[in-house]
């Protein structure tokens, strides 16, 4: 393992422009449960609510928001971990220009990565937006109203439906983050995949795109991924241990 961490350190030092691609595995090290892990994944406990169901059914909307409020304590308690801090250092040093993430928890921003350098492919659950006019609403305000009425309030601006600012199953991927992610991977000479199973497409296609464009590809994930066979370096270990060790962050 130490030899692989040294190899990763050398690859980082030799790169001119690194793009980071993160999945649920980096956030589980902050105590946020993932969705897919056998036996512990959220999807094994409750089926996802699809976007069209959310739009059509008041009961589905109430259940979606109930789940979000149920996770509040976990989300509030989560803090950036060693892996997040290592990425933030690479951003500060100018090694990493863009952080592409499948996560919705805002921990990259909390670690010090500027908002403009985080590309959120699946949105952000730390706030809500109106599906009609796009006005931002804070989760705490929605939760307070829900606790009083057992119903989610309408948008204070236009009366539209409120939803966490995330991408649900059946909802179109946001085009601007997808465009930015494509530009980021095509400009990189090294792609670091951290904590992603690389199973969710089209997002998981970006590391492969980087590799096909000539960038080095490093994968740090506890389980095997679909791109292990084309990666230049694969470490089946914890992200904090590996990246923290390579970058010198405790």
């Amino acid at each position: 393992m130490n030899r692989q961490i040294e190899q990763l350190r050398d690859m980082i030092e030799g790169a001119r422009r690194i793009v980071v691609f993160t999945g649920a595995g980096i956030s589980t090290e902050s105590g946020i449960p993932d969705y897919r892990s056998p036996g512990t994944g959220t999807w094994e406990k409750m089926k996802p609510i699809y976007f069209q169901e959310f739009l059509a059914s008041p009961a589905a909307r109430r259940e979606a928001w109930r789940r979000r409020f149920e996770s509040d304590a976990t989300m509030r308690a989560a803090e950036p971990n060693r892996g997040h801090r290592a990425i933030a250092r690479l951003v500060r040093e100018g090694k990493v220009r863009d952080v592409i993430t499948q996560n919705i928890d805002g921990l990259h921003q909390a670690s010090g990565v500027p908002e403009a350098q985080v590309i959120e492919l699946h949105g952000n659950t730390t706030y809500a937006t109106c599906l009609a006019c796009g006005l931002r609403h804070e989760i705490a305000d929605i939760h307070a109203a829900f606790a009083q009425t057992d119903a989610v309030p309408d948008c204070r601006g236009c009366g539209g439906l409120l939803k966490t600012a995330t991408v649900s199953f059946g909802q179109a991927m946001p085009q601007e983050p997808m465009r930015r992610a494509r530009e980021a991977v095509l400009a990189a000479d090294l792609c670091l995949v951290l904590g992603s199973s690389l199973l969710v497409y089209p997002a998981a296609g970006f590391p492969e795109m980087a590799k096909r464009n000539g960038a080095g590809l490093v994968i740090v994930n506890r389980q095997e991924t679909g791109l292990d066979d084309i990666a230049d370096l694969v470490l089946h270990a914890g992200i904090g241990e590996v990246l923290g060790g390579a970058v010198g962050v405790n």
Side-chain angles (χ1 to χ4, degrees), residues 20-77:
V20 170
F21 182 95
T22 64
I26 194 169
S27 292
T28 57
E29 295 183 22
S30 289
I32 295 178
D34 70 6
Y35 289 92
R36 294 179 173 273
S37 292
T40 60
T42 303
W43 292 344
E44 289 196 2
K45 301 174 183 177
M46 60 185 76
K47 70 180 184 69
I49 296 171
Y50 281 74
F51 185 56
Q52 291 303 321
E53 184 182 4
F54 183 91
L55 293 179
S57 168
R61 291 195 292 275
R62 190 179 305 110
E63 173 61 14
W65 277 105
R66 187 198 65 78
R67 294 180 187 181
R68 173 60 185 85
F69 299 141
E70 190 176 65
S71 71
D72 253 1
T74 299
M75 296 298 296
R76 287 197 305 269

Side-chain angles (χ1 to χ4, degrees), residues 114-212:
E115 180 79 38
Q117 290 177 259
V118 181
I119 303 172
E120 294 176 316
L121 297 179
H122 296 154
N124 191 306
T125 193
T126 65
Y127 62 95
T129 55
C130 173
L131 292 175
C133 72
L135 183 65
R136 174 170 172 151
H137 293 251
E138 301 308 318
I139 298 295
D141 296 336
I142 299 172
H143 195 178
F146 187 89
Q148 290 184 343
T149 66
D150 196 34
V152 179
D154 296 327
C155 173
R156 66 177 182 273
C158 74
L161 297 179
L162 300 184
K163 180 181 175 296
T164 58
T166 55
V167 179
S168 299
F169 282 97
Q171 189 174 4
M173 292 291 287
Q175 291 306 304
E176 182 61 13
M178 294 291 286
R179 181 194 65 76
R180 291 177 58 206
R182 184 177 188 278
E183 290 183 356
V185 299
L186 293 179
D189 60 354
L190 179 61
C191 177
L192 301 182
V193 176
L194 307 172
S196 176
S197 61
L198 298 176
L199 293 174
V200 179
Y201 282 82
F206 288 119
E208 183 175 7
M209 184 186 298
K211 177 63 177 176
R212 302 297 184 199

Side-chain angles (χ1 to χ4, degrees), residues 3 13 15 18 34 59 63 75 85-87 92-93 137-138 150 163 170 195 207-208 210 221 225:
R3 183 176 299 175
E13 290 177 353
I18 302 171
D34 70 6
E63 173 61 14
M75 296 298 296
R85 295 194 300 273
I87 295 169
R92 289 195 303 273
E93 293 175 348
H137 293 251
E138 301 308 318
D150 196 34
K163 180 181 175 296
E208 183 175 7
N221 194 57
T225 81

